[in-house]
């Protein structure tokens, strides 16, 4: 079994469960930050674990969490797990940390699809959408972003009081993403938009019915 804890540093633990009456730690790795979700994958025959969580600024312990951290753990040797590589997206948050249904990994193409949100109350840099990553044994790189709402739409748009949780579906090299108030189709390999549907357009909301973009609630 594989376990992480929610601390400033992330003890990644490998636990031997072969005897259920005597579970015990056989391997441990301590790194900055923590992982909220772990997902087993395999690349070129190597057993790995993808971790999605938060990065922590070690130089400023009062700064707290400062961005999404994606870690790739090599678990080939249970007694000596290692972090082969990681990717840090400063000031961002991913719903995949708390909702595993919004996480998607495509083993055949080694692509990871995660929702990403960023809101800074400023005129630039606000984002709500998804990121497609390329995963190899030694690197995690951002391939392209799928933006569901522009900076101005997030700050000044008129939105319904409920919205959809992030989900992604892939069919014939097209990724359909569902998030907040929109549904989009994007080419998985070049990032070109195929189409976009805003579900709020047909509601005819007036000014008294408008809600802020990030202040609405999920549809049950």
């Amino acid at each position: 079994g594989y376990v992480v804890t929610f601390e400033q540093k992330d003890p990644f633990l490998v636990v031997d469960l072969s005897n259920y009456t005597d579970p015990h730690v056989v391997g441990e790795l301590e790194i900055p930050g923590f992982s909220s979700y772990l997902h087993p994958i395999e690349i070129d025959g190597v057993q790995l674990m993808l971790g999605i969580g938060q990065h922590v600024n070690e130089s400023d312990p009062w700064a707290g969490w400062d961005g999404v951290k994606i870690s790739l753990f090599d678990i080939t040797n249970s007694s000596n797990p290692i972090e082969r590589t990681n990717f840090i997206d400063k000031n961002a948050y991913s719903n995949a940390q708390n909702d595993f249904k919004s996480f998607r990994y495509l083993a055949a193409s080694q692509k990871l699809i995660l929702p990403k949100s960023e809101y800074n109350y400023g005129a630039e840099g606000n984002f709500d959408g998804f990121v497609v990553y390329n995963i190899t044994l030694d690197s995690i790189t951002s391939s392209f972003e799928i933006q569901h709402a522009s900076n101005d739409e997030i700050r000044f748009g008129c939105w319904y009081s409920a919205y959809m949780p992030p989900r992604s579906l892939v069919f014939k090299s097209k990724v359909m993403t569902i998030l907040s108030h929109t549904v989009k189709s994007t080419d998985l390999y070049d990032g070109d938009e195929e189409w976009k549907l805003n579900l709020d357009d047909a509601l005819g909301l007036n000014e008294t019915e408008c809600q802020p973009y990030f202040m609405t609630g999920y549809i049950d």
Side-chain angles (χ1 to χ4, degrees):
Y2 304 92
V3 181
V4 292
T5 62
F6 295 86
E7 299 180 354
Q8 293 289 87
K9 289 191 174 181
D10 183 0
F12 178 86
L13 307 176
V14 183
V15 183
D16 186 344
L17 302 174
S18 57
N19 182 353
Y20 69 89
T21 65
D22 182 32
H24 56 278
V25 174
V26 295
E28 180 175 348
L29 172 66
E30 190 173 276
I31 54 176
F34 63 86
S35 297
S36 304
Y37 176 64
L38 296 173
H39 188 88
I41 68 171
E42 180 179 319
I43 298 177
D44 297 337
V46 180
Q47 299 298 315
L48 305 161
M49 191 72 70
L50 266 174
I52 312 299
Q54 283 285 319
H55 179 254
V56 173
N57 186 345
E58 286 190 289
S59 63
D60 184 4
W62 298 104
W65 311 334
D66 62 357
V68 174
K69 182 179 182 181
I70 306 169
S71 295
L72 188 63
F73 300 104
D74 188 330
I75 54 176
T76 304
N77 184 349
S78 298
S79 64
N80 185 35
I82 62 174
E83 184 185 43
R84 294 189 69 113
T85 187
N86 65 62
F87 182 94
I88 297 170
D89 195 343
K90 288 281 192 175
N91 303 315
Y93 169 79
S94 178
N95 192 73
Q97 297 171 207
N98 304 302
D99 178 7
F100 71 91
K101 293 180 180 179
S102 65
F103 172 102
R104 185 166 301 280
Y105 176 72
L106 306 174
S109 57
Q110 296 176 204
K111 290 186 179 293
L112 172 65
I113 305 171
L114 294 179
K116 169 187 170 179
S117 297
E118 188 172 348
Y119 187 53
N120 58 23
Y121 298 94
E124 300 292 338
N126 299 294
F127 181 87
D128 197 33
F130 289 78
V131 184
V132 177
Y133 300 91
N134 295 319
I135 310 295
T136 71
L137 278 175
D138 300 305
S139 69
I140 301 171
T141 57
S142 174
S143 178
F144 61 87
E145 293 183 333
I146 303 173
Q147 187 178 49
H148 273 249
S150 70
N151 192 80
D152 285 347
E153 286 174 330
I154 291 173
R155 296 184 69 215
F156 307 118
C158 176
W159 303 102
Y160 184 54
S161 60
Y163 69 108
M164 298 174 294
R167 296 291 184 265
S168 62
L169 307 168
V170 178
F171 181 69
K172 291 186 176 181
S173 299
K174 309 299 180 187
V175 54
M176 184 175 72
T177 49
I178 304 166
L179 175 63
S180 298
H181 312 272
T182 54
V183 182
K184 292 188 68 172
S185 178
T186 307
D187 188 282
L188 182 61
Y189 292 97
D190 60 23
D192 289 345
E193 181 179 310
E194 301 287 321
W195 51 262
K196 178 179 178 180
L197 174 65
N198 186 332
L199 300 178
D200 285 9
D201 280 347
L203 298 178
L205 300 175
N206 59 49
E207 291 185 1
T208 62
E209 298 171 310
C210 292
Q211 298 293 325
Y213 187 88
F214 281 121
M215 300 299 178
T216 52
Y218 281 154
I219 297 174
D220 293 330

